Amino acid sequence: MVHSIEATGIGAQASAYLDDSYLEQVDTRVIAVGEKDGTPWAAVEHCLFHPQGGGQPADRGWLEDTEIIPVRDRESGLVVVMVPEGGSLPPFAEGQKVRARIDLRTRTAHAALHTAGHLVEAVGRTQGWEMVASNHFPEQARIEFQAPHTDTRLADPEGREEVTAALRAAVAAAVADDLPVFARCLADGRRVVHLDELHSAPCGGTHVRSLGDLAEVALPTLKVKKGRIRVSYNATHVSYDASPHVPYAAPHVSGTATHRSH
């Protein structure tokens, strides 16, 4: 798939981060440079960097040897790179050949959380709930639902734990089945991410290749606040789940996770 953005007078930018979540570096060229509020920025043709958005944090990356922060420019639609506060962006020139690189450990951690969020949404919908909000940030990950009709199971702690146990079982089954994860672009340009036949949703985030890449998926007991059903969760990527001295264990779904409620 090619996802490109046409910017007047600049040309096209391909969203390489959507084509392969595991692509670590790419050789490309600078297509635009400029300033925003006095801070220099540059845009490259094949953009490897996922900007913050859609409930997912930005990638950590480098353009040549300079650490950068990717930001979506609202005016042009381009993903531009800027430097963290205190840094300095080299004087890149339009047409200059450059190498873009991401921190793959950070990328796969974000991809695992985002994919797990889709999975939590999918199993929540099997309960008859509708998703109203999502957050895929580390230590904050959660999906919020509303129930179109009163769900009496949520009225007491025992009922909420019973429902959460059902969600955990459904998540564990999908991970054990190693359902494929893929994206398709519709005729209107929307990108839809699929968890095989289980679930699909418009999404511009990065994802794992299949649900078997998820490890340590944890769902604490859900909470109900102001009519919203909040399902917090955590997940890691199998490649980075265990330390070098501890053999990797099969993925499991537990009732505990490191998370922060908001």
Side-chain angles (χ1 to χ4, degrees), residues 138-141 220-221 223 232-234 255-262:
E139 300 185 6
Q140 303 176 23
T221 302
K223 298 180 180 179
S232 297
Y233 73 93
N234 191 31
T256 59
T258 302
H259 72 287
R260 181 167 63 246
S261 298
H262 289 259

Side-chain angles (χ1 to χ4, degrees), residues 40 70 73 78 109 112 122 135 137 175 202 218 249:
D73 180 66
L78 293 171
N135 185 332
F137 274 65
V175 172

Side-chain angles (χ1 to χ4, degrees), residues 49-195:
F49 313 113
H50 183 284
Q52 180 172 316
Q56 179 175 329
D59 280 329
R60 181 177 182 230
W62 295 264
L63 193 58
E64 291 294 293
D65 294 324
T66 301
E67 184 171 1
I68 57 84
I69 298 174
V71 179
R72 175 77 68 185
D73 180 66
R74 294 184 180 276
E75 293 183 7
S76 65
L78 293 171
V79 176
V80 303
V81 300
M82 309 175 81
V83 293
E85 186 175 354
S88 177
L89 191 70
F92 292 116
E94 292 183 25
Q96 178 180 344
K97 293 182 179 179
V98 290
R99 175 163 292 181
R101 178 169 57 92
I102 60 166
D103 181 337
L104 192 58
R105 184 182 296 271
T106 299
R107 161 65 65 79
T108 53
H110 294 171
L113 280 172
H114 202 144
T115 307
H118 282 294
L119 180 53
V120 171
E121 178 188 354
V123 299
R125 288 186 180 277
T126 65
Q127 301 296 315
W129 306 338
E130 299 174 353
M131 189 188 78
V132 293
S134 62
N135 185 332
H136 310 297
F137 274 65
E139 300 185 6
Q140 303 176 23
R142 64 185 182 273
I143 306 295
E144 296 187 7
F145 300 92
Q146 284 183 338
H149 307 288
T150 301
D151 192 332
T152 57
R153 301 172 300 171
L154 306 180
D156 58 74
E158 291 77 12
R160 290 191 291 273
E161 175 55 31
E162 179 183 345
V163 176
T164 307
L167 299 179
R168 291 177 192 138
V171 166
V175 172
D177 287 341
D178 195 16
L179 299 181
V181 179
F182 55 91
R184 290 177 175 151
C185 283
L186 303 182
D188 61 6
R190 286 184 300 160
R191 177 178 183 259
V192 178
V193 171
H194 298 256
L195 309 184

